[in-house]
Amino acid sequence: MFILNAAIRSWRQRLGDQPDIQAGDLDELADHLREGSADLNVSGLSEEEAFLVSARRLGDPEALAGEFATAEPGLRRRVRLRWMLVGALAMLVLRFLGDVVADLSTGGLAFMSVGTPVLGWTSGLLRLTIFVIGGLVIWRILASDATAMRIRNFGIWSLGMMSILVIALAFVVAAATMHGGTTWFLARSVNPAHLPDLAYVTYWLRTGLLLLLPVVLILMLWGLVRHRRKSD
Amino acid sequence: MSLSKELIAASTTPLVLSILAQRECYGYALIKQVRELSGDRISWSDGMLYPVLRRLEAQGLITSFWRSAATGRRRRYYRIEKAGKQELVRLQEQWNLVGNVLGRLWREDPVCSY
């Protein structure tokens, strides 16, 4: 038995594999397909025939994607740049979160008079853990079909980007405030003689994390490109 | 009589801009209106219109926006921009010029003065 919604979903998936057709275009074309099918159905064709004729009129996915690519040659690059921006913002937020949690715990340990090397390693390990786990979670969320669907349904892409920017900014401001607070707390709690050692260990751990950034970013982008627009 | 592919392609932009100069519209309705106005003689292949709309939008001649249709589904509409209206005036002049020249040639005796 023919089910129109299932047929349109399957058609969308085939078209969604084309890298030059964006999520909004898919929605628009699917709407066209639906309305065209309805018109043909009213004029006497069966639902299945109407769908097939309407899909045929829209053209085959490869040819359609070629037309879209010609119409807007730089689009694919711009979309990738946007995703890179999202990835960079995510990294920024994660770094700040990692700093805050690590500093809070370091401050707590210092308050309990634990030795300086332990403080440094604890801080570094916490940052690394938060960075890796947070990165994996964000990757999973961004790459999931459901999120792609939600972003598209949110409507205007720029509005979605604006929301991400605002959320990231809020995170950064909050984290920076907490960061300042914990630094002040550390300066008061840790023995000044131990501060150079603490700074040395923390510096190398932070450098190590920074070296991981491009690798994680590339992995995230690879995941996004692979899973892009297979929603619905 | 159906039009050649080249003529259909050349007339797409002025047709789209002319319809959008009258009212906001969505893709399927644009195709239907052109088909009706031309008595089915200008028949765009359905998929061809959307890349053209993307190109016109990238050129700043039109903009798109999403609105809920009567069915409750969201639908992408298009409206003409100021630059689009200026482009339409320019295209009208060009098409009028071509129409006038061809009209004169086909009405009058073909006399070549050179």
Side-chain angles (χ1 to χ4, degrees):
Chain A
M1 184 188 157
F2 179 77
I3 300 168
L4 182 64
N5 284 337
I8 289 179
R9 240 191 331 269
S10 156
W11 178 85
R12 278 183 69 121
Q13 273 169 358
R14 266 186 289 133
L15 201 60
D17 287 336
Q18 305 301 318
D20 289 297
I21 298 184
Q22 303 302 304
D25 300 327
L26 270 180
D27 285 341
E28 187 175 32
L29 291 167
D31 180 56
H32 179 111
L33 186 58
R34 203 178 283 278
E35 196 166 349
S37 298
D39 275 357
L40 289 169
N41 194 214
V42 167
S43 67
L45 293 185
S46 72
E47 205 173 37
E48 185 172 7
E49 288 168 338
F51 168 79
L52 290 173
V53 170
S54 196
R56 192 174 172 78
R57 280 183 182 170
L58 270 171
D60 82 310
E62 285 82 13
L64 206 50
E67 294 285 337
F68 273 96
T70 313
E72 245 183 312
L75 185 66
R76 202 191 295 193
R77 194 179 63 247
R78 286 202 301 278
V79 169
R80 284 185 181 164
L81 278 172
R82 284 170 185 165
W83 279 116
M84 285 170 77
L85 177 64
V86 173
L89 281 172
M91 292 300 130
L92 190 68
V93 171
L94 281 177
R95 275 199 64 193
F96 270 97
L97 281 177
D99 283 352
V100 169
V101 174
D103 285 347
L104 281 173
S105 65
T106 310
L109 288 171
F111 192 68
M112 291 185 285
S113 305
V114 178
T116 307
V118 178
L119 290 179
W121 284 108
T122 310
S123 160
L125 274 174
L126 275 169
R127 284 193 176 93
L128 184 65
T129 310
I130 287 170
F131 190 77
V132 171
I133 293 175
L136 286 173
V137 169
I138 289 176
W139 180 11
R140 186 71 213 137
I141 292 171
L142 287 178
S144 75
D145 293 351
T147 307
M149 186 72 180
R150 269 187 226 114
I151 289 174
R152 191 172 59 250
N153 285 343
F154 199 53
I156 311 158
W157 165 257
S158 53
L159 197 59
M161 281 298 296
M162 194 71 82
S163 309
I164 291 171
L165 277 170
V166 168
I167 292 166
L169 191 67
F171 264 114
V172 167
V173 170
T177 309
M178 289 177 74
H179 192 80
T182 49
T183 306
W184 174 81
F185 179 72
L186 265 180
R188 287 175 64 95
S189 317
V190 178
N191 184 344
H194 294 155
L195 280 176
D197 290 341
L198 186 65
Y200 182 74
V201 176
T202 310
Y203 168 78
W204 282 109
L205 282 170
R206 283 189 184 198
T207 308
L209 284 182
L210 281 176
L211 290 175
L212 272 177
L213 272 176
V215 177
V216 176
L217 202 60
I218 287 166
L219 281 174
M220 280 183 75
L221 284 172
W222 178 71
L224 286 170
V225 169
R226 243 186 107 211
H227 291 277
R228 199 165 62 129
R229 289 180 296 98
K230 290 185 178 174
S231 56
D232 198 0
Chain B
M1 180 198 75
S2 60
L3 298 186
S4 70
K5 270 185 179 178
E6 290 78 9
L7 194 52
I8 288 179
S11 61
T12 304
T13 300
L15 284 171
V16 168
L17 292 178
S18 301
I19 293 171
L20 294 181
Q22 294 174 350
R23 65 187 172 97
E24 294 166 352
C25 205
Y26 61 97
Y28 188 78
L30 277 168
I31 291 174
K32 268 174 82 170
Q33 186 163 357
V34 168
R35 203 174 283 160
E36 281 169 19
L37 284 170
S38 68
D40 270 342
R41 281 178 295 183
I42 300 180
S43 184
W44 291 333
S45 69
D46 293 10
M48 162 207 139
L49 175 68
Y50 295 98
V52 172
L53 291 170
R54 283 296 84 67
R55 177 172 54 78
L56 295 178
E57 193 172 13
Q59 290 171 345
L61 304 180
I62 61 173
T63 47
S64 67
F65 58 98
W66 293 86
R67 182 195 286 167
S68 287
T71 55
R73 283 200 194 84
R74 283 156 24 81
R75 177 171 282 159
R76 185 185 253 166
Y77 279 79
Y78 296 89
R79 76 163 68 94
I80 194 166
E81 287 298 313
K82 194 177 169 191
K85 287 177 184 165
Q86 289 166 351
E87 176 66 7
L88 181 57
V89 170
R90 200 179 66 83
L91 289 170
Q92 279 170 341
E93 286 168 0
Q94 290 179 0
W95 281 84
N96 282 335
L97 176 66
V98 172
N100 286 338
V101 171
L102 288 174
R104 282 183 63 185
L105 283 169
W106 291 334
R107 269 196 309 272
E108 296 164 7
D109 289 334
V111 177
C112 184
S113 55
Y114 298 100

